[in-house]
Amino acid sequence: MREQIPLLVNGRRSILLLPFFLFVLLFFTSAAMQLKFGSPAMTWEELLSIIFSHRGDDLRRTIVWEMRIPRILLGFMVGTMLGAAGTIMQGAMNNKLAGPELLGISSGASLAMAAITVLHLPVTVLFHPAIAFIGGLAGGLSVLIASRGSRGTVALLLIGMSVSAILNGLLIILISLGTSNDVNLLYTYLLGSLANRNWNYVIRMLPWFVMVLPFAFFFTRTLNLMQLGDEAAAGLGVQVHRARMWMLALCTGLVAITVAQCGPIGYIALIAPHLVRSLLSSLDARLVLPLSALCGGVLLTAADTIARLLLYPMEIPVGVWTTIFGGGLFLLFFVKRQGGGTRA
């Protein structure tokens, strides 16, 4: 079965170049559109002058530097973490349908964050990622406990969907207990949004991004071996259960941090690894993981550009667009590969 996983050799490093440059081009195109278009209108010359020379009127400088640039940076970091989390989760479960939306992680983190708002808990924003992590971990552990004794990752995913549905039901009950002001605050947040994010959000996200994301790349060899199946991986020296728990904990941390800052943004974690594997025609985690992280950041930046500009001046939260487009792409991937079942 080892030949099913084409591993990286020196001659194949070039296959990274085309997807890498494609993602970089898409990112800068999306970022340029984010920076230029909107109100007030500005020419390309004015925009370049504001960015590189800090020249221009105060209003345009403030909008570019205090609103649009932080939003782009935050969206890229959030998408990068989601792309990495999706790759690790699918590898840990050895199932390409695995995602934080289906294993109770996103729902648990969202429920914890909603509780802070509705119950008016005295929790400073610096500790919101920790609260979201606890909620996401509780959701993920609920799935693991409920699935104890079941065989196969498909059963685990079905249980995860059930637990997510229960947590979403509890979330609706919790929201109904809040005031109208609480509901208004939670509405946009629970749809997943990057609107009105400034440098404070970027500064709060940056330490987590720098400290947590690098741990993902320690698991590339383990992910490659676990694609051979649990028994084969164990025979090659992998402590499968322990490795899976560590990887799921890491995924919970990556997702919970993004939920704390932007709300639950769906399908980026699920779609980015599928897209990268299709572009590379490879399952090698040493290739797929870094490009999936980059792809996630680019996808979210592009989706946020659509969210802000498509129906301007009205803005629909980016989480709605990622669900629409991500769900459509996932359906396309699934139909294309339905002959391989859920392990496609």
Side-chain angles (χ1 to χ4, degrees):
M1 296 179 64
R2 181 179 291 272
E3 59 271 14
Q4 293 179 3
I5 304 176
L7 298 179
L8 179 64
V9 295
N10 291 333
R12 298 194 62 201
R13 293 181 185 275
S14 59
I15 70 174
L16 287 169
L17 295 179
L18 181 59
F20 175 80
F21 285 119
L22 178 64
F23 292 147
V24 170
L25 177 62
L26 180 57
F27 171 75
F28 280 107
T29 301
S30 301
M33 293 178 65
Q34 279 261 41
L35 291 171
K36 182 183 186 300
F37 296 105
S39 180
M42 66 183 76
T43 65
W44 288 110
E45 290 78 10
E46 288 175 325
L47 176 61
L48 292 175
S49 178
I50 290 171
I51 293 176
F52 295 106
S53 303
H54 291 272
R55 296 177 181 175
D57 64 79
D58 292 340
L59 177 60
R60 286 175 171 79
R61 285 205 313 270
T62 299
I63 288 175
V64 169
W65 279 103
E66 300 300 327
M67 298 176 64
R68 294 180 184 174
I69 290 179
R71 178 170 178 162
I72 292 169
L73 293 177
L74 182 65
F76 182 78
M77 287 192 292
V78 168
T80 297
M81 296 175 81
L82 290 175
T87 306
I88 294 174
M89 186 170 294
Q90 291 173 14
M93 306 306 300
N94 199 13
N95 192 301
K96 303 306 182 290
L97 296 180
E101 303 89 352
L102 303 179
L103 292 179
I105 295 174
S106 293
S107 299
S110 300
L111 182 62
M113 293 301 298
I116 294 175
T117 300
V118 174
L119 302 179
H120 302 285
L121 301 178
V123 180
T124 177
V125 293
L126 295 177
F127 292 102
H128 283 184
I131 298 299
F133 176 79
I134 293 172
L137 190 62
L141 287 176
S142 298
V143 173
L144 295 177
I145 293 172
S147 62
R148 181 177 297 175
S150 62
R151 293 186 176 183
T153 56
V154 174
L156 181 62
L157 290 173
L158 292 175
I159 294 172
M161 294 172 64
S162 301
V163 171
S164 294
I166 294 172
L167 293 174
N168 287 329
L170 293 175
L171 179 61
I172 293 174
I173 294 174
L174 182 63
I175 292 175
S176 67
L177 298 176
T179 65
S180 58
N181 186 53
D182 295 333
V183 174
N184 291 332
L185 289 173
L186 289 170
Y187 172 74
T188 302
Y189 168 80
L190 291 175
L191 291 176
S193 177
L194 292 169
N196 302 317
R197 267 43 178 192
N198 53 33
W199 286 108
N200 291 332
Y201 288 86
V202 176
I203 292 172
R204 289 199 295 266
M205 170 68 82
L206 189 59
W208 298 93
F209 180 81
V210 172
M211 291 188 297
V212 178
L213 183 62
F215 284 103
F217 299 95
F218 288 118
F219 290 103
T220 53
R221 178 181 178 275
T222 303
L223 287 171
N224 278 335
L225 295 177
M226 290 183 70
Q227 291 182 73
L228 299 172
D230 288 0
E231 293 183 1
L236 293 171
V238 177
Q239 295 181 316
V240 175
H241 180 73
R242 177 180 295 180
R244 182 169 288 138
M245 292 302 101
W246 276 112
M247 285 190 280
L248 290 178
L250 176 61
C251 291
T252 301
L254 290 169
V255 173
I257 295 162
T258 66
V259 171
Q261 298 299 319
C262 306
I265 297 178
Y267 283 93
I268 295 293
L270 194 61
I271 291 299
H274 280 276
L275 187 59
V276 168
R277 283 190 291 262
S278 296
L279 288 173
L280 295 178
S281 298
S282 173
L283 300 178
D284 186 355
R286 290 175 291 180
L287 290 167
V288 174
L289 180 57
L291 273 183
S292 293
L294 176 61
C295 179
V298 173
L299 287 177
L300 187 52
T301 304
D304 190 47
T305 302
I306 294 173
R308 194 173 74 81
L309 299 178
L310 185 62
L311 300 177
Y312 189 84
M314 182 177 68
E315 178 176 336
I316 296 178
V318 66
V320 175
W321 294 109
T322 61
T323 299
I324 292 173
F325 292 124
L329 282 173
F330 180 72
L331 181 62
L332 182 64
F333 281 126
F334 185 78
V335 171
K336 181 180 178 181
R337 302 182 181 184
Q338 61 181 344
T342 56
R343 293 172 64 90

